[in-house]
Amino acid sequence: MPVPIIIDCDPGHDDALAIMLAAANPAVDLLAITTVAGNQTLEKTSLNARRVCTVAGITGVPIAAGCDRPLLQALAVASDVHGESGLDGPRFPEPTVDLVPEHAVELIHRILVNHPEPVTLVPTAPLTNIALLLTRHPDSAARIREIVLMGGSTERGNTTPAAEFNIHTDPEAAAIVFGSGVPVTMCGLNVTHQALATPEVLARFEALGTGLGDICVELLAYFASAYSRLWDMPHPPLHDPVAVARVIDPALVECVDANVTVELHGRYTRGATVVDFPRDPDRPTNAKVAMSLDARLFWDHMVDAVAALGSRPA
Ligand code: BDR
Ligand code: CA
């Protein structure tokens, strides 16, 4: 039976491919896509989710917009990484799929209480919607099978030396999620930096010979130029689909138990995920932390997903 999931995202180049992987892979059943402010404003990330679904032929999956700013602090978008649109690179047609007229938090809650089995949440963005869900609807926790998120790091950050973008954008929300008691798996930069979109990977998308394959090449080429300019990295890491891959096949992403605490106060370290592998009895395990990725199989799944979506009749 496919695992029922909801993706909470801020597309975003890597979010776009996470949506495609989740929509196409038969091991998961994508129940909804929800959006939040992060890489760009909520208006732009929501438009981008509709754009991705339109070009990928994803219909029948509700898309709902959620929170337009972090819980406490001002929103700081990532135009330097994802461009002014949040999805710079390809030229997108006018979207043909709409948002549903319901707040993301209410849509997620409604799905959770009505679905016959517990649902896995896959946040690939700041955790504002998920924190609000858990605080506004405490009955949600028992209906969530697990939260498999992209965010944080066991090592350095990418937004500050200590903090990764999704956690740094809304640290209070992240602290609520890690402290919620719901099973959490953290796919942080230490593992997503193993999912590098090399020229060989781009060639595989190009070889599909489909419009969607070409859009992926354009997205990844834009992402590559941003990573080269900002971090001097020759190949960009495709962060967000790694969380989806962990749900598709847990063996793809090896995890260890740990305590993860979100630093909220440090002048230079706010938003850092402080990961302690079981040592300190005062810091009991509250998460699985992803450590290694089977990159070859990961890319096979990613290319298969884009091939499957691209072959669907328009
Ligand atoms: C995360 O930040 C965003 O820019 C990406 O979409 C990803 O979710 C990586 O730090
Ligand atoms: Ca994202």
Side-chain angles (χ1 to χ4, degrees):
M1 279 289 282
V3 178
I5 70 167
I6 296 172
I7 288 201
D8 185 64
C9 59
D10 61 343
H13 294 70
D14 49 339
D15 302 81
L17 275 89
I19 291 171
M20 294 177 205
L21 180 59
N25 192 288
V28 292
D29 178 14
L30 181 59
L31 303 179
I33 298 164
T34 54
T35 57
V36 67
N39 285 326
Q40 265 300 347
T41 61
L42 179 68
E43 199 183 339
K44 292 181 183 177
T45 59
S46 302
L47 172 63
N48 289 342
R50 295 169 56 215
R51 285 175 162 157
V52 170
C53 288
T54 298
V55 296
I58 301 166
T59 55
V61 179
I63 309 170
C67 298
D68 64 2
R69 63 178 188 82
L71 294 182
L72 295 188
Q73 66 190 24
L75 175 67
V77 298
S79 307
D80 52 346
V81 185
H82 298 274
E84 278 310 316
S85 73
L87 214 47
D88 276 14
R91 192 183 281 254
F92 288 97
E94 193 59 30
T96 54
V97 290
D98 281 328
L99 297 178
V100 295
E102 191 174 13
H103 192 282
V105 169
E106 302 310 318
L107 175 68
I108 299 172
H109 179 244
R110 194 164 53 75
I111 292 174
L112 289 176
V113 294
N114 288 315
H115 202 270
E117 50 184 308
V119 173
T120 296
L121 304 185
V122 186
T124 61
L127 290 158
T128 322
N129 286 343
I130 309 303
L132 202 61
L133 170 79
L134 293 167
T135 48
R136 187 186 285 181
H137 297 296
D139 60 328
S140 296
R143 303 295 309 151
I144 300 171
R145 176 165 139 166
E146 56 175 331
I147 298 173
V148 182
L149 64 90
M150 190 282 132
S153 176
T154 61
E155 298 159 5
R156 289 172 68 85
N158 59 359
T159 300
T160 69
E164 180 278 333
F165 177 80
N166 289 339
I167 308 297
H168 186 261
T169 299
D170 196 343
E172 280 73 22
I176 288 171
V177 170
F178 279 102
S180 67
V182 175
V184 173
T185 296
M186 174 181 119
C187 300
L189 299 177
N190 56 295
V191 74
T192 65
H193 279 217
Q194 297 169 34
L196 297 173
T198 60
E200 293 73 36
V201 166
L202 268 69
R204 291 181 70 183
F205 285 115
E206 194 167 6
L208 295 176
T210 64
L212 189 61
D214 292 347
I215 286 174
C216 289
V217 171
E218 288 171 322
L219 286 170
L220 292 174
Y222 184 90
F223 215 34
S225 68
Y227 266 81
S228 155
R229 174 170 39 84
L230 295 169
W231 288 287
D232 203 19
M233 284 177 71
H235 314 306
L238 198 67
H239 310 281
D240 293 339
V242 172
V244 180
R246 165 72 187 178
V247 184
I248 288 172
D249 178 1
L252 281 176
V253 183
E254 207 174 292
C255 294
V256 296
D257 289 336
N259 175 282
V260 179
T261 303
V262 179
E263 173 59 58
L264 296 178
H265 306 292
R267 179 168 172 195
Y268 300 107
T269 53
R270 183 168 150 79
T273 44
V274 182
V275 179
D276 192 13
F277 300 106
R279 261 202 319 254
D280 181 349
D282 291 335
R283 296 188 61 197
T285 292
N286 66 345
K288 291 193 182 305
V289 172
M291 299 302 289
S292 65
L293 172 75
D294 185 331
R296 193 183 54 80
L297 266 181
F298 167 80
W299 284 113
D300 286 350
H301 278 297
M302 201 57 254
V303 173
D304 286 351
V306 175
L309 292 168
S311 68
R312 286 184 187 175

